[in-house]
Amino acid sequence: MNELRIGIGVHSPITALLAEEAGADVLWLGSLEMSTSRGVPDREVLEPHEIAGIIRSVRAATSLPIYVDADTGRGSDELAVLATKLYEEAGADAICVEDNLFPKRNSLDDRFGGRALMDPEAFAGRISAMVAARRSIRVIARTEALVAGHGVDAAVDRLRRYADAGADALFAQANRASAGQLLPVVERIAPIRPMVLAPTVLPGTDAEAFAAHGPVTVIFANVVMRSLVAQTSRVLHEVVASRRLDAVSTELAGVERLFELAERSRALDEEPPPARTEASRTTRPAPPVPSAARPAPRPAADTATRAVAESVPGRERARALMTEAAFDYCAGGAGDEAGMRRNTERLDALTLTPRVLRDVSERSTGTELFGKRLAAPLLVTPMGLQALCHPEAERATAAAARSLDLGFTLSMFASRTVEEVAEAAPDCWWQQVYLLGERAISWSMVRRAEQAGASALVCTVDVPLVGRRTRDARNGFRRFDAAPPAIVRDPVFTDVLAHRRRRTPSLTEEGLLAEVFPDPAVSWRDLAELRSRTRLPLVVKGVLHPEDAVRAVDAGADAIQVSTHGGRQSDRHVAAVDALPHVVAAVGDRVPVLFDSGVRNGTHIASALALGARAVLAGRPVLWGLAANGQEGAAAVLRSLVEELDHTMALLGTPSVTDLGRELVSIQEQA
């Protein structure tokens, strides 16, 4: 009996449900279907986290196997492995990669002449790496040898190499020029490995012809999007021309049908849809790739922590999921980035001297700041434009902190509004502000934060000018183009813009922001005015000199945050941890001293606490978790930091964070 399975290319939960109703055995999340549905070229433009989001939404709506088109794996073995893990976690059953060069060109796109392929041995190595990294997801190896004009023998040789590398199924693609060569490849390959085909160029060929030689899944890869474009165009032209719906009423689904499909396209946190009953299935056997219809369960919290913190370095995972320019903006520092590196290197240089034979069978990381209880002395430091990492942006990181009873600080240049983030934020959340050249905008942000329930304000004082960031200059990166900050929707900001446009009609939101930030004229007098405008506790952030710390306390600061802005302002500033003990000594017990910059693990947190910090704020590691898996990824990073802090406390003989004292830390002098 022929072993034929039919797959349909889809791009959303509703198109997946329609394919399931039609009797499809497999859902194909093809790159052309997904890309065109989002209005971008089929050139590996969609980011992996976007594709993972599509996988999750489709998985929530159906139990059918999901095959995902991963194109070239973004051109490297490492990124292909990361995609394998990411898509498996999202719920995919199979991942397909091709031996095209990055960025891939669609096999039907003949506008630019010939194409080159990867060396087959190198691509076989990529397949081996993906197979070694997966838990249960199947790996499909696709060759473009026919498309590139290499002929049947070359295509067969490549596919056999990929089978030897561990591919679970093999995919041969053809274009218009090589359509007649597809069946001879199937005749020689299908007996040794299940095959996947997408015969877009063979509209008159019955799929049964391929299955005569072995198990074959035939994918009708882009029929949904092509039919949507054709039918929608015809209906819209008719509606616009006739000014009425009568002429097309028989072509339109009833709104009740939309309601029904939307109800079935359920959210992720609901129960998954039941598997189709035998009566609803066709007589075809289950697809050969993969063997199970349902994905592996999503990892539990501790597994998720390990996935981010151990098996896949968070930073490299984020790099795989973000655009190069966005990643460099988040990862980069000022100048030659020596200042950024120095922050972490100096933390790494600290050594700790443990106390022994102290009962640490019960430990507490809990603390309190400004009357708010925290499960650990750890907060998320203010970081703007988090939509560069994940669509949920600051809402996700705030919710992650809330889930662990930790603190969160919202940047004035956040992607999400104060009000949006406040809904998801923990009890201890702070609003960061800059003193802008148009002070009324700053005061508006203060008022909105107070009304939204912020428990403190953080005034950043170390940006008289924005640091010279080499990576951004190299990439031509414009923050405003990539992810406009929500501050441009502040009512006072819009009023100021309208007023200034009377003089300069061409002034844009970006232009106004550039005019008012930063303001090199900010002085201690302005800090005093901010102090007079709010009753909230005031943290002054960006202090490195002990005399400035004392002056800030005299001006009404309720806490000092020792920080080098993560090394983003200067490549020659003192490392934050080297400034910390001097600031602590200068302010004494008058106010708490907080710390950020260079923190990468729980030992760094313990070291800063031992040097006198009351709490520590983490930055980039949280961003990498956010990019990797949204709220869950950010929470996994924060959880890991707390677990590492607790572990370090046990090894040091300190049952409470208040037991972490200066006598435990040795500071090595810089060479």
Side-chain angles (χ1 to χ4, degrees), residues 182 305-306 326 352 412 418 524:
L182 191 56
T305 298
R306 288 194 294 271
L352 300 170
M412 189 176 191
V418 175
W524 290 102

Side-chain angles (χ1 to χ4, degrees), residues 400-617:
R402 179 177 182 172
S403 70
L404 298 169
D405 292 327
L406 301 176
F408 174 79
T409 316
L410 180 64
S411 169
M412 189 176 191
F413 295 144
S415 300
R416 295 299 193 99
T417 65
V418 175
E419 294 76 14
E420 288 176 309
V421 177
E423 294 175 353
D427 191 37
C428 179
W429 77 270
W430 304 344
Q431 174 67 56
Q432 181 263 340
V433 293
Y434 291 103
L435 296 172
L436 303 183
E438 189 69 56
R439 297 287 190 270
I441 301 173
S442 298
W443 308 148
S444 176
M445 292 297 295
V446 170
R447 287 193 299 273
R448 289 172 61 197
E450 290 173 335
Q451 293 167 0
S455 54
L457 292 177
V458 178
C459 182
T460 300
V461 295
D462 61 349
V463 190
L465 295 173
V466 174
R468 300 173 65 89
R469 297 168 193 168
T470 307
R471 297 198 207 193
D472 294 349
R474 179 190 65 213
N475 293 328
F477 181 74
R478 292 165 61 96
R479 294 179 300 164
F480 206 93
D481 290 346
I487 192 175
V488 300
R489 301 195 296 277
D490 179 87
V492 174
F493 186 97
T494 58
D495 287 347
V496 171
L497 179 62
H499 176 74
R500 294 198 182 189
R501 277 177 171 168
R502 295 172 190 166
R503 299 193 311 268
T504 311
S506 61
L507 183 64
T508 63
E509 295 169 336
E510 179 183 15
L512 174 58
L513 201 56
E515 287 183 7
V516 302
F517 175 79
D519 180 6
V522 171
S523 68
W524 290 102
R525 182 173 58 252
D526 299 298
L527 182 66
E529 183 176 0
L530 172 61
R531 174 69 283 175
S532 71
R533 285 179 172 270
T534 182
R535 295 182 178 179
L536 289 177
L538 177 62
V539 180
V540 177
K541 175 182 181 291
V543 176
L544 295 172
H545 199 289
E547 291 182 10
D548 287 341
V550 171
R551 188 164 184 180
V553 175
D554 291 343
D558 297 289
I560 301 297
Q561 188 164 330
V562 174
S563 169
T564 70
H565 216 103
R568 294 171 65 78
Q569 281 301 98
S570 169
D571 53 5
R572 291 301 178 267
H573 279 0
V574 61
V577 73
D578 289 327
L580 175 61
H582 302 291
V583 170
V584 169
V587 302
D589 295 329
R590 296 176 65 187
V591 299
V593 175
L594 314 177
F595 175 81
D596 76 63
S597 297
V599 174
R600 299 294 180 265
N601 54 55
T603 303
H604 288 170
I605 297 173
S607 299
L609 296 174
L611 288 172
R614 178 76 64 83
V616 173
L617 293 93

Side-chain angles (χ1 to χ4, degrees), residues 7 75 103 111 144 219 232 242 251 259 298 358 378 412 434 441 460 471 517 530 583 610:
R111 295 174 296 170
E144 298 276 298
I219 305 289
T232 301
S242 66
E251 305 291 327
F259 298 154
R298 293 186 63 79
R358 293 184 173 184
L378 177 62
M412 189 176 191
Y434 291 103
I441 301 173
T460 300
R471 297 198 207 193
F517 175 79
L530 172 61
V583 170

Side-chain angles (χ1 to χ4, degrees), residues 17 30 38 53 60 66 122 134 160 183 244 251 307 341 506 611:
L17 288 171
R38 283 153 177 75
I66 299 172
R134 55 98 179 269
R160 285 176 173 164
L183 189 55
R244 55 193 299 167
E251 305 291 327
R341 294 190 298 272
S506 61
L611 288 172

Side-chain angles (χ1 to χ4, degrees), residues 607-667:
S607 299
L609 296 174
L611 288 172
R614 178 76 64 83
V616 173
L617 293 93
R620 287 184 178 92
V622 181
L623 283 188
W624 307 149
L626 173 68
N629 199 21
Q631 177 185 335
E632 292 182 21
V637 168
L638 291 170
R639 185 183 299 109
S640 179
L641 290 174
V642 175
E643 290 173 353
E644 291 170 358
L645 169 61
D646 176 74
H647 185 77
T648 302
M649 288 168 52
L651 295 177
L652 290 175
T654 52
S656 169
V657 289
T658 57
D659 297 320
L660 290 166
R662 180 66 180 81
E663 73 281 0
L664 302 177
V665 190
S666 298
I667 302 178

